[in-house]
Amino acid sequence: MSRRPEHIAPPEIFYNEDEAQKYTNNTRIIDIQVQMCERAIELLALDPDDDVPQLILDVGCGSGLSGSVLEEQGHVWIGIDISNHMLEVAVEREVEGDLSLGDMGQGMPFKAGTFDGAVSISALQWLFNADKKSHNPPKRLYQFFSTLYSSLTRNARAVFQFYPENADQIELVTSQAMKAGFYGGIVVDYPNSTKAKKYFLVLMTGGVAKLPAALGTEESEGQVAYNRKQMEYAKRARGRPLKKSRDWVLAKKERRRQQGDETRRDSRFTARKRSGRF
């Protein structure tokens, strides 16, 4: 059995230049990352009728694979990661999100009420380890969750896909999140499947609410599967441009200009699909 990455070295060391490139260019990893991020966004329960792009924090953003999914769904994002090499790959990929180098265990360096939501794919489990003598996992988890709580709006959610090793780690992470002020809990998709089973920590700032139904359970059998095309057809019927269409991209670029953000000029190539991997 292969060792888990977090057991081999701290993330800033494990994800060196070679590992960062391998991670980003592995088609299997890309597919899994996209699927898990799409599920995390679904669990955020953002208002589908809100035309204003949401500002989402991507914790442990790596090379920006999840950020590309957020961009596809029309959101603006900021990413933070401890691996400088991963962030360098994100810059090479010309992701739209702003990037920040930082250790999540030292807290989130953002102003209060900045984000409409947060997602994190395969990063939270790194905080269970004490990679240095000064590291205390419960304290680092609390520092992370308390500063994240403050950086979110008061009706926001944060969704973390992670890989706990045992029930003690699940208890640790949930207890520290609740101590920091969050409500919520664990959603386990496909709990009876060895390969498809996925853990999501769903946290809420706006008070107690029912947790979303997990996939692959009796409770979810009556749910209608999310269909992006159906939603896009509905938006077209309401007179709104399709996401990723030329009109939608031009409108998004104009909003960025009005906000004072540096934006590439429009051209005949604007919104044209690129070949190869994103």
Side-chain angles (χ1 to χ4, degrees), residues 160-180:
F160 302 83
Q161 181 277 324
F162 71 115
Y163 295 100
E165 293 186 69
N166 50 54
D168 290 340
Q169 289 186 349
I170 295 175
E171 172 62 27
L172 174 61
V173 74
T174 53
S175 64
Q176 295 304 312
M178 304 307 143
K179 182 180 176 183

Side-chain angles (χ1 to χ4, degrees), residues 21 24-28 30 65 93 274-278:
Q21 290 289 347
T24 308
N25 294 323
N26 186 307
T27 54
R28 179 177 174 274
I30 291 174
L65 297 180
R93 295 181 58 245
R274 301 176 182 178
S275 60
R277 292 185 293 268
F278 63 74

Side-chain angles (χ1 to χ4, degrees), residues 223-259:
Q223 292 182 313
V224 177
Y226 172 76
N227 188 312
R228 183 181 299 171
K229 287 187 177 180
Q230 287 180 352
M231 188 173 73
E232 288 178 343
Y233 292 148
K235 287 196 173 185
R236 174 182 280 176
R238 292 195 293 267
R240 300 170 185 167
L242 288 176
K243 285 182 178 179
K244 298 178 67 179
S245 68
R246 180 175 173 81
D247 290 341
W248 182 87
V249 172
L250 290 173
K252 180 179 178 181
K253 292 176 72 174
E254 184 59 31
R255 286 195 298 270
R256 289 175 65 91
R257 292 189 186 103
Q258 292 175 0
Q259 294 169 356

Side-chain angles (χ1 to χ4, degrees), residues 84-98:
N84 187 56
H85 294 293
M86 279 291 212
L87 295 178
E88 287 175 353
V89 175
V91 172
E92 291 173 5
R93 295 181 58 245
E94 298 184 340
V95 298
E96 291 187 11
D98 293 329

Side-chain angles (χ1 to χ4, degrees), residues 58-71:
D58 183 2
V59 182
C61 65
S63 57
L65 297 180
S66 294
S68 295
V69 179
L70 290 166
E71 291 167 17

Side-chain angles (χ1 to χ4, degrees), residues 10-61:
E12 66 271 27
I13 296 176
F14 179 83
Y15 289 109
N16 54 29
E17 185 175 357
D18 291 339
E19 197 65 35
Q21 290 289 347
K22 283 196 299 183
Y23 188 96
T24 308
N25 294 323
N26 186 307
T27 54
R28 179 177 174 274
I29 289 178
I30 291 174
D31 289 343
I32 293 174
Q33 182 96 6
V34 168
Q35 292 171 17
M36 292 192 296
C37 186
E38 287 181 339
R39 174 59 171 154
I41 296 171
E42 183 181 4
L43 292 170
L44 282 180
L46 300 171
D47 185 356
D49 294 323
D50 191 347
D51 289 332
V52 180
Q54 304 295 295
L55 180 57
I56 308 297
L57 174 63
D58 183 2
V59 182
C61 65

